[in-house]
Amino acid sequence: MKNNFGSGMNGDADRAGARETLDALSNDRLALAERVKTPPWYYPLLGVATAFIIGSPGVEPPSRSVLVAFGVIALVALTVASQKKTGVTINRTAGPRSLGIAVTLGVAVAFLLGVALTLESTGHEAWIALTAAVAFLAVWLLGRLYDRAYYLELRSGR
């Protein structure tokens, strides 16, 4: 059986069509990467919301619930606002580097919450503010790093 793929007029037309399709996919990938860029206000505000939650063990019980509630409401509001601004809902990482950064950030926040709860239970509430500040910085800086990795992975198709 003879294969005529790549020979004659149809082969050239097939190659040109495939090239056009690949170029269109590449352009779509680049456009999507540009579109999902997180707004500059997102990570600092996400850091504040996280700091509210992490810092909540450092305040008296009635105020503790208020801080947690504001933190959670802010997390939801930021997610909705970002989705409305970009028009895209992201439900997974783009590749291994962004996944690694997301896991690192999640572990860091969980660890810092554990530290804050430990400080509260041992009577060292004054140090919880420092833990909340570290959480703020971690979310802001690792969030920006995640965003950059996500953008690069999406652009490259990985």
Side-chain angles (χ1 to χ4, degrees):
M1 180 178 262
K2 184 175 180 182
N3 183 352
N4 290 328
F5 182 74
S7 63
M9 288 276 265
N10 285 340
D12 291 340
D14 290 343
R15 275 193 290 269
R19 199 168 284 121
E20 284 179 28
T21 301
L22 289 173
D23 288 344
L25 286 172
S26 179
N27 290 338
D28 286 348
R29 199 173 54 246
L30 294 175
L32 180 61
E34 289 297 323
R35 187 172 183 177
V36 299
K37 279 186 177 177
T38 306
W41 47 261
Y42 183 78
Y43 288 112
L45 292 178
L46 187 65
V48 169
T50 304
F52 278 4
I53 295 168
I54 300 295
S56 66
V59 297
E60 294 300 315
S63 301
R64 187 176 299 174
S65 298
V66 172
L67 276 181
V68 171
F70 277 140
V72 170
I73 289 168
L75 291 175
V76 172
L78 285 168
T79 301
V80 170
S82 178
Q83 288 173 357
K84 282 186 178 182
K85 176 146 180 49
T86 63
V88 177
T89 301
I90 298 172
N91 60 3
R92 65 183 200 149
T93 60
R97 186 165 180 228
S98 58
L99 176 61
I101 295 167
V103 168
T104 300
L105 181 55
V107 168
V109 168
F111 174 76
L112 290 167
L113 181 58
V115 169
L117 292 170
T118 300
L119 289 169
E120 188 264 337
S121 69
T122 59
H124 296 93
E125 288 88 356
W127 290 99
I128 295 174
L130 179 60
T131 307
V134 170
F136 166 78
L137 288 173
V139 168
W140 188 357
L141 298 176
L142 287 175
R144 297 294 299 156
L145 188 63
Y146 168 83
D147 201 42
R148 183 69 180 152
Y150 191 92
Y151 173 79
L152 292 173
E153 288 172 333
L154 197 57
R155 275 183 59 108
S156 69
R158 295 190 174 151

